Amino acid sequence: VTGVQTCALPICEPITVIQNAHKGAVAQLAFGAEPALASVGAVDTMLLVHDWRSGVRLFSSSAFSKPLGICFFSASSSSNSSMNTVTRSAWNSGGLVVCGASEPYICFWHSEDIESNSKRLVPRRGVFGKRARRQPTLCAASCGAEVVLTGGVDGSLGVWHGRNCVQCIKAHRGSLNAIHVSNHGVVTAGKDGKLRLWSLGLKPGAILDSSNLGCGNGYTSLRAVSFSADGSRFLVGTGANEVFEVSAVDGSDALGG
C-alpha cells in the first residue's frame, strides 16, 4: 500500500504523510487551490483528491479501467460561494483534467449544481473530433482560464476549449514530451531535441536545438522543460537523465558546460 508525503521546502522536512492512498505506485501528483492535492494510481487506476494539510480525503473515483498518466488542475475560474467548503477548497481552481497513459482519452472533471448549496463532481470525456488524432497524451498544461494544451505521441500540440479539441498543431517530429506555460509564453519540448517557443496565443516563435548541449551519447530527446522566473532561461531534462540550464535567446548552455 502506497502513501503520499508532502514536505516543506527547501529542507524537505515532512509535513503530512497520507497513508493508504493507493495500492501500488503513485503515477502523478498535482496541487490545486489550497489545500487540494490530486493523485492518480499507476496500478489501482484511482483518482483521489486529499487535503494535503490534514490528510482528509475530499474525493475519489474508480471510474477508470486503464492506467492513468497525467492529472492536473485546470486554470482558475470563478468560484461559487454557495459551494460547500470541502468541494470549494478542492475545485475552485477550475476543475481537474485526467489523461490516459496508454489509452487515447482525456477526461475533464467539473462541479455542477444538484440542489441548493450542494454540488457534485462530474466527469466529461474529451472530444477529439475531426481536428485531432486519437492518441495517448504525454503531457498537458493550462493556458489561461479556458484553454488546455496537450502533447501527443505524434508531436502534435492539441488545443482544448471546454472538453473539445478545437485545434491540432504539428509542433515536433516524434513525440511532444513536455509543455510549460508561464507569463513569458509557452515552451514545448520533444523527442526531436527541439525547444519550441510560442506566444500565449500560440503564435510560433523561436526553435532552439539541444544538439549543441553535449547530451550523453548524443541522446538529445527532451523529457521535461520549465521557464525560469524571469523568462531568460529554461531548465531542461533529457532522456539521458541529464539536466541543463538553457538560454532562451539562442539555446546555448547557460552555465557554459
Side-chain angles (χ1 to χ4, degrees):
V1 179
T2 304
V4 175
Q5 179 172 289
T6 58
C7 298
L9 295 175
I11 59 176
C12 293
E13 179 181 353
I15 301 174
T16 307
V17 178
I18 304 172
Q19 300 288 356
N20 304 320
H22 290 277
K23 295 181 179 178
V26 177
Q28 190 165 0
L29 301 171
F31 283 97
E34 291 285 350
L37 173 63
S39 61
V40 293
V43 177
D44 60 15
T45 68
M46 289 283 292
L47 168 64
L48 305 178
V49 179
H50 287 88
D51 179 325
W52 66 262
R53 292 173 175 168
S54 66
V56 173
R57 182 176 295 185
L58 306 177
F59 173 74
S60 66
S61 174
S62 57
F64 306 94
S65 59
K66 298 293 185 179
L68 307 175
I70 298 168
C71 70
F72 69 99
F73 286 91
S74 56
S76 179
S77 62
S78 59
S79 61
N80 188 331
S81 60
S82 67
M83 193 187 303
N84 68 74
T85 302
V86 169
T87 303
R88 183 175 64 249
S89 296
W91 299 93
N92 66 7
S93 56
L96 189 67
V97 183
V98 178
C99 305
S102 58
E103 292 291 313
Y105 71 80
I106 179 170
C107 189
F108 298 83
W109 292 80
H110 296 282
S111 59
E112 67 177 28
D113 296 307
I114 54 176
E115 57 186 35
S116 178
N117 296 328
S118 181
K119 289 181 177 283
R120 65 179 177 181
L121 303 174
V122 178
R124 291 187 173 90
R125 287 291 183 103
V127 178
F128 287 84
K130 295 181 179 180
R131 298 182 183 276
R133 168 192 165 196
R134 291 181 58 85
Q135 59 182 305
T137 301
L138 302 180
C139 55
S142 288
C143 186
E146 303 295 334
V147 177
V148 169
L149 304 177
T150 58
V153 295
D154 66 352
S156 62
L157 178 65
V159 184
W160 300 75
H161 285 260
R163 66 187 185 111
N164 298 300
C165 184
V166 298
Q167 189 177 7
C168 193
I169 304 168
K170 182 62 176 177
H172 292 270
R173 296 180 62 184
S175 57
L176 197 170
N177 295 329
I179 302 171
H180 188 254
V181 180
S182 79
N183 293 333
H184 306 288
V186 179
V187 59
T188 60
K191 185 178 180 180
D192 57 6
K194 301 294 194 299
L195 291 170
R196 290 204 61 177
L197 280 63
W198 313 78
S199 71
L200 291 174
L202 297 180
K203 293 183 179 179
I207 301 176
L208 307 178
D209 194 335
S210 66
S211 61
N212 62 344
L213 293 178
C215 300
N217 297 320
Y219 193 69
T220 59
S221 175
L222 303 180
R223 304 302 300 272
V225 65
S226 179
F227 271 105
S228 64
D230 62 3
S232 65
R233 292 161 294 157
F234 305 109
L235 192 66
V236 175
T238 76
N241 301 318
E242 296 173 305
V243 177
F244 294 91
E245 280 193 38
V246 177
S247 167
V249 176
D250 59 9
S252 64
D253 187 343
L255 300 180

